[in-house]
């Protein structure tokens, strides 16, 4: 791609002058990385993190690709986010929280630290130790962040499961992790209705579960309703944390809970994400390198200043909610705003009302949300004073030129730089983005690799990272082969994210989408194989093929072509079977939502007689994509086993219009 001068948008001058990271810093750091790559990382790690014991080796690469960063150094993530601010920022707001009903809570660094320490004592009393896996199934609320920090404080490995996941998906994760503890809450409000997390959580652990203790925060007023049949310890945290406070532990005993000092390479958390097989993979992150990059990128990319109120709309169930809500900004001593609820409740102006009320300065969200704001109309935005905003960010999927411009003009009023940040669960932090004190912007193009990150594009257009970096994943939990084959085999000694990209002469990189069977629905990664596996569990299904088609709001929408078991339905007889076909489609959509979660629910189910397969038995997905978009199939169809299948598919698909 050759960048075209009309597309370039210059940075506002005030950003260049006041940015945390300016052109001079940028040039110096680039030169330093070029001269001494590992020495520069070592220097940054020494400057940015508190080390209980210094590391002597920056990177151990003796067992590639299992790179180990800061292996013999000792530190702690939560200590670096909380304790280090107590002297200078103890009274400063660390978290500002508002729930959907409008109740708010402000937690200063001192208060957040005390509550994390209290929960740490509680978990230790339960017997939690370094290395234990703890599953967290919660909404975006202060208690969830407290639970995450208490885990990293002890060195217990947390695995947050997004609160939209269904019981089956959670059970799979809990089982693979052999998690003995599940932390959840009795519910939360979404669009005015209670989402009963406890019901899903208890279902997930109802049969043959490794979970021994279920910990429940009381987040909605309704009394806890519990299935008494569960043969595990059930803890009402509302009561038990009060009992703990009554134990007369001195404030000193609680607050001086020295954190566990962990090796730089100890696992801090595992977060599951989709790949191209039917089974999600547990991405394992280290301690020191992860935090170093979460801290540096928060400071550089978001230009976080002490006086800023920063809002990232991501849920803690995703990596963005880890790196840029729970950890990176707090490591910088920032004030983080969190909101638990829907963006259009009670009205479609909720986000803009929040920005006005809390004078938010930095707003980081996903293109799918921006496209919804666009669709809801400008009148909701115009009602509010958004003049506090000074920087906007986008993450999770390609934003596209038009949406970028809309965001820039209507939310940023053409004065706020936009950082379009490309990264992944696996990379731990942002890899590609413009820096708001350094680089001009090109709408729809993420930007150059950040200092220290070596992004390249091979002749097939595959983006790859040719040097290890501190916040890289450690591996795939219990699956070293999947780690090696999935990321390190195709391009030797290079990490392969699976995205296609284009690069300009200035090193600006534009992401083109995925190169594998991973689809991106509203910024959520889903494997087509994962949805097919879920469909296969339904008694009526013989086989299925899932594809994605463009969707105006969600980016991509899921379409599933399914073949039912013999004798279940004569799909060609539209007159007779139409009603029942619709019912079947509805049932199958619900089935996927029940297996994975509502975010995986197909837009369309197309019941067909047979899938278009090549003579070697592979489903011809490009043909299905054409059909799902009512296009006549293009390209070479000569390898199809049964040519008649095309006409039949077209006929069935048309029935749905
Ligand atoms: C996509 C989210 C274009 C990409 C942080 C990547 C993007 C996947 C961008 C990772 C962006 C993320 N522009 N595409 N700015 N950011 N992606 O693991 O395909 O949930 O591989 O991490 O989202 O999704 P994940």
């Amino acid at each position: 791609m050759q960048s075209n001068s009309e597309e370039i948008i210059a940075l506002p001058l005030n950003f260049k002058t006041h940015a945390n990271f300016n052109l001079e810093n940028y040039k110096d750091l680039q030169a330093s990385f070029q001269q001494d790559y590992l020495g520069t990382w070592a220097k940054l790690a020494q400057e940015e993190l508190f080390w209980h014991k210094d590391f002597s080796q920056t990177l151990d690469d003796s067992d590639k690709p299992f790179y180990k960063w800061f292996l013999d150094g000792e530190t702690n993530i939560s200590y670096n986010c909380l304790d280090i601010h107590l002297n200078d920022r103890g009274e400063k707001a660390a978290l500002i929280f508002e729930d959907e009903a409008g109740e708010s809570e402000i937690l200063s660094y001192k208060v957040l630290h005390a509550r994390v320490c209290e929960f740490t004592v509680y978990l230790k009393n339960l017997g939690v130790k370094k290395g234990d896996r703890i599953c967290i199934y919660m909404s975006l609320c202060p208690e969830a962040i407290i639970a995450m920090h208490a885990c990293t404080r002890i060195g217990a490995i947390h695995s947050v499961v997004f609160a939209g996941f269904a019981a089956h998906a959670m059970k799979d994760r809990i089982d693979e992790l052999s998690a003995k503890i599940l932390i959840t809450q009795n519910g939360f409000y979404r669009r005015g209705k209670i989402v009963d997390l406890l019901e899903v959580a208890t279902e997930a652990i109802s049969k043959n579960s490794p979970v021994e203790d279920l910990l429940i925060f009381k987040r909605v007023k309704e009394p806890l309703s519990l299935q008494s049949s569960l043969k595990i310890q059930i803890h009402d945290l509302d009561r038990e944390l009060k009992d703990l406070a009554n134990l007369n532990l001195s404030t000193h005993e609680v607050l001086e809970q020295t954190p566990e000092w962990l090796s730089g390479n100890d696992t801090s958390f595992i977060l599951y994400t989709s790949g191209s097989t039917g089974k999600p993979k547990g991405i394992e992150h280290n301690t020191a390198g992860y935090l170093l990059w979460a801290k540096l990128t928060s400071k550089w990319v978001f230009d976080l200043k002490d006086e800023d109120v920063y809002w990232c709309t991501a849920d803690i169930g995703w990596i963005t909610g880890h790196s840029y809500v729970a950890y990176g900004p707090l490591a910088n001593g920032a004030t983080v705003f969190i909101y638990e609820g829907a963006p259009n409740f009670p009205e479609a102006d909720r986000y803009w009302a929040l920005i006005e009320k809390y004078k938010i300065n930095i707003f980081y969200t996903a293109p799918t949300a921006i496209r919804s704001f666009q669709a809801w109309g400008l009148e909701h935005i115009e009602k509010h004073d958004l003049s506090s905003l000074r920087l906007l960010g986008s993450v999770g999927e390609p934003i596209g030129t038009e949406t970028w411009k809309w965001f820039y003009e209507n939310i940023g009023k053409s004065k706020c730089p936009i950082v379009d940040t490309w990264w992944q669960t696996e990379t731990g932090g942002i890899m590609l983005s413009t820096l708001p004190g350094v680089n001009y912007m090109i709408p729809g193009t993420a930007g150059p690799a950040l200092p220290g990150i070596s992004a390249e594009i091979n002749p097939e257009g595959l983006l790859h990272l040719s040097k290890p970096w501190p916040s890289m994943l450690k591996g795939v939990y219990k699956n070293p082969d999947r780690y090696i084959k999935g990321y390190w085999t195709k391009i030797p000694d290079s990490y392969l994210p699976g995205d296609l990209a284009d690069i300009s002469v200035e090193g600006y990189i534009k992401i083109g989408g995925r190169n594998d069977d991973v689809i991106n629905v509203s910024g959520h990664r889903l494997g087509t194989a994962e949805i097919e596996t879920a469909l296969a569990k339904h008694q009526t299904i013989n086989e299925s093929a899932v594809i994605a088609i463009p969707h105006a709001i969600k980016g991509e929408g899921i379409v599933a072509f399914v073949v039912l078991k013999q004798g279940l339905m004569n799909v060609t007889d539209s007159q007779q079977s139409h009603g029942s076909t619709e019912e079947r489609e509805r049932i199958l959509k619900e089935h996927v939502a029940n297996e994975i979660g509502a975010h995986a629910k197909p837009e369309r189910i197309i019941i067909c007689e047979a899938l278009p397969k090549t003579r070697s038995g592979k489903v011809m997905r490009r043909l299905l994509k054409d059909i799902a978009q009512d296009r006549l199939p293009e390209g070479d169809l000569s390898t199809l086993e049964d040519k008649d299948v095309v006409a039949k598919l077209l006929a069935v698909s048309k029935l749905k219009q």
Side-chain angles (χ1 to χ4, degrees):
M1 181 194 73
Q2 193 77 24
S3 66
N4 149 355
S5 59
E6 289 119 297
E7 288 181 324
I8 287 176
I9 297 194
L11 287 172
L13 196 61
N14 63 333
F15 248 96
K16 288 195 181 176
T17 355
H18 301 294
N20 288 342
F21 197 74
N22 59 30
L23 191 58
E24 210 176 311
N25 308 135
Y26 185 73
K27 284 185 176 156
D28 288 351
L29 193 59
Q30 294 283 46
S32 174
F33 270 121
Q34 231 160 27
Q35 258 174 18
D36 182 3
Y37 184 68
L38 290 180
T40 306
W41 281 121
K43 187 165 166 284
L44 288 169
Q46 266 142 7
E47 285 167 3
E48 296 291 334
L49 299 186
F50 170 85
W51 293 94
H52 177 249
K53 180 180 158 242
D54 274 342
F55 55 90
S56 64
Q57 189 186 9
T58 307
L59 173 67
D60 173 356
D61 61 358
S62 56
D63 183 22
K64 289 179 194 174
F66 298 91
Y67 295 95
K68 298 172 189 72
W69 287 85
F70 312 114
L71 183 63
D72 64 347
E74 286 180 4
T75 186
N76 180 284
I77 288 187
S78 181
Y79 187 89
N80 271 283
C81 292
L82 303 176
D83 303 54
I84 51 150
H85 303 305
L86 292 178
N87 282 341
D88 298 341
R89 299 185 179 89
E91 303 304 328
K92 179 180 170 176
L95 289 182
I96 303 178
F97 168 67
E98 181 164 315
D99 68 13
E100 205 180 61
E103 297 281 319
S104 64
E105 193 183 348
I106 298 180
L107 287 83
S108 65
Y109 271 91
K110 215 163 119 189
V111 169
L112 180 60
H113 173 257
R115 289 188 58 188
V116 168
C117 289
E118 178 195 51
F119 199 54
T120 305
V121 176
Y122 178 85
L123 290 178
K124 280 188 177 172
N125 285 351
L126 270 188
V128 173
K129 315 176 294 308
K130 177 183 162 189
D132 288 351
R133 275 85 53 218
I134 295 191
C135 195
I136 299 177
Y137 185 63
M138 295 183 71
S139 65
L140 176 53
C141 60
E143 285 76 6
I145 294 176
I146 290 166
M148 291 166 81
H149 274 266
C151 289
T152 46
R153 209 167 173 82
I154 300 173
I157 299 166
H158 63 65
S159 188
V160 183
V161 176
F162 171 57
F165 274 114
H168 286 107
M170 195 189 342
K171 179 176 168 44
D172 290 347
R173 287 156 174 77
I174 289 175
D175 288 353
E176 182 169 280
L177 292 164
S178 306
K180 290 207 182 85
I181 291 188
L182 170 60
I183 309 177
T184 188
Q185 63 199 64
N186 62 339
F188 68 102
Y189 285 92
R190 180 109 183 149
R191 297 205 172 84
K193 293 204 185 91
I194 293 180
V195 179
D196 191 345
L197 290 184
L198 195 51
E199 192 188 336
V200 187
T202 40
E203 192 190 330
I205 57 174
S206 58
K207 271 187 237 130
N208 302 330
S209 177
V211 169
E212 292 169 4
D213 291 274
L214 175 65
L215 279 50
I216 308 160
F217 280 105
K218 192 168 178 193
R219 293 275 321 144
V220 293
K221 293 195 183 74
E222 278 61 19
L224 297 182
S225 57
L226 285 171
Q227 277 186 15
S228 52
S229 60
L230 284 178
K231 290 188 191 63
I232 56 165
Q233 292 289 323
I234 295 174
H235 304 268
D236 173 352
L237 288 173
D238 204 34
R239 192 172 53 73
E240 294 184 20
L241 287 174
K242 271 187 208 129
D243 290 349
L244 182 75
N246 292 337
L247 270 184
N248 283 337
L249 283 178
S250 67
T251 323
H252 179 80
E253 272 173 289
V254 174
L255 295 189
E256 291 303 304
Q257 279 299 310
T258 26
E260 190 77 29
W261 297 113
L262 304 169
S263 146
N265 189 52
D266 275 337
T267 300
S268 54
F269 65 87
I270 295 169
L271 190 58
Y272 280 81
T273 191
S274 301
S276 42
T277 75
K279 203 169 163 294
K281 43 194 172 180
I283 304 301
E284 233 180 303
H285 275 288
N286 68 28
T287 287
Y290 168 76
L291 186 67
L292 173 64
W293 197 233
K295 181 177 181 189
L296 281 172
T297 46
S298 299
K299 182 155 61 177
W300 295 343
V301 178
F302 301 119
D303 192 46
L304 267 183
K305 302 268 191 330
D306 235 348
E307 56 281 9
D308 280 328
V309 182
Y310 161 93
W311 183 16
C312 164
T313 64
D315 191 274
I316 41 133
W318 311 114
I319 189 69
T320 312
H322 284 57
S323 306
Y324 300 112
V325 179
Y327 296 121
L330 294 178
N332 285 290
T335 295
V336 177
F337 174 73
I338 52 174
Y339 167 64
E340 178 197 57
N344 53 352
F345 192 87
E347 300 294 335
D349 68 339
R350 186 64 188 266
Y351 273 18
W352 321 124
L354 289 168
I355 289 176
E356 180 173 7
K357 179 171 171 188
Y358 293 100
K359 302 199 169 29
I360 308 281
N361 306 107
I362 298 166
F363 179 60
Y364 186 35
T365 194
T368 185
I370 305 170
R371 289 189 296 263
S372 297
F373 306 146
Q374 258 181 299
W376 295 338
L378 287 178
E379 64 272 23
H380 302 291
I381 299 159
E382 282 158 0
K383 274 197 263 176
H384 297 282
D385 175 9
L386 304 184
S387 61
S388 57
L389 288 174
R390 63 179 198 90
L391 181 92
L392 303 174
S394 167
V395 62
E397 48 177 321
I399 181 169
T401 315
E402 290 317 308
T403 306
W404 193 102
K405 286 186 179 153
W406 183 91
F407 196 34
Y408 185 71
E409 285 161 16
N410 296 292
I411 307 302
K413 316 290 180 198
S414 304
K415 71 175 177 60
C416 303
I418 295 182
V419 288
D420 174 5
T421 63
W422 177 90
W423 59 295
Q424 302 182 297
T425 305
E426 293 87 336
T427 67
I430 299 166
M431 300 281 104
L432 310 177
S433 171
T434 51
L435 287 161
V438 179
N439 315 105
Y440 59 82
M441 300 167 280
I442 304 178
T445 296
L450 292 181
I453 304 303
S454 311
E456 291 178 30
I457 293 172
N458 84 347
E460 287 168 59
L462 287 170
L463 174 66
H464 59 109
L465 306 175
S466 57
K467 281 199 179 103
W469 67 101
S471 66
M472 64 195 296
L473 71 167
K474 277 177 72 169
V476 175
Y477 189 61
K478 285 197 174 153
N479 208 334
D481 263 15
R482 200 166 173 194
Y483 175 59
I484 296 170
K485 291 199 186 107
Y487 301 105
W488 296 95
T489 306
K490 186 160 169 107
I491 304 176
D493 281 336
S494 238
Y495 168 83
L496 191 75
D499 280 51
L500 291 163
D502 229 338
I503 192 161
S504 76
V505 278
E506 302 92 346
Y508 274 59
I509 294 175
K510 187 183 176 88
I511 301 294
R514 300 285 308 183
N515 179 52
D516 52 15
D517 293 329
V518 170
I519 56 185
N520 196 324
V521 181
S522 301
H524 304 323
R525 254 167 91 169
L526 287 159
T528 53
E530 206 178 331
I531 305 166
E532 288 161 8
T533 306
L535 281 165
K537 288 190 196 157
H538 197 269
Q539 67 218 17
T540 60
I541 299 249
N542 179 2
E543 61 174 342
S544 69
V546 168
I547 51 132
I549 59 169
H551 187 284
I553 303 286
K554 299 179 180 176
E556 290 189 311
I558 301 167
V559 179
F561 287 81
V562 304
V563 179
L564 299 179
K565 286 197 176 129
Q566 245 192 346
L568 278 179
M569 194 172 165
N570 178 4
V571 288
T572 51
D573 187 352
S574 61
Q575 301 288 230
Q576 280 179 26
S577 56
H578 194 70
S580 67
T581 306
E582 271 173 10
E583 181 58 8
R584 279 194 204 285
E585 288 170 5
R586 194 192 58 74
I587 291 169
L588 290 175
K589 284 182 188 175
E590 280 312 313
H591 169 74
V592 176
N594 287 336
E595 285 290 325
I596 305 176
H599 58 292
K601 199 168 171 172
E603 292 297 312
R604 283 177 73 186
I605 299 264
I606 299 178
I607 298 176
C608 52
E609 242 177 79
L611 297 174
K613 291 192 183 162
T614 62
R615 271 177 231 117
S616 57
K618 276 192 97 171
V619 174
M620 200 182 263
R621 285 171 195 271
R622 67 176 161 85
L623 190 153
L624 293 179
K625 272 184 184 260
D626 282 337
I627 287 177
Q629 291 172 81
D630 303 320
R631 287 194 306 243
L632 280 177
E634 285 175 2
D636 182 13
L637 302 180
S638 63
T639 55
L640 272 183
E641 158 106 74
D642 172 10
K643 303 266 177 339
D644 295 345
V645 112
V646 181
K648 286 183 188 161
L649 278 167
L650 277 170
V652 178
S653 153
K654 290 259 163 59
L655 287 175
K656 302 284 133 350
Q657 304 317 306

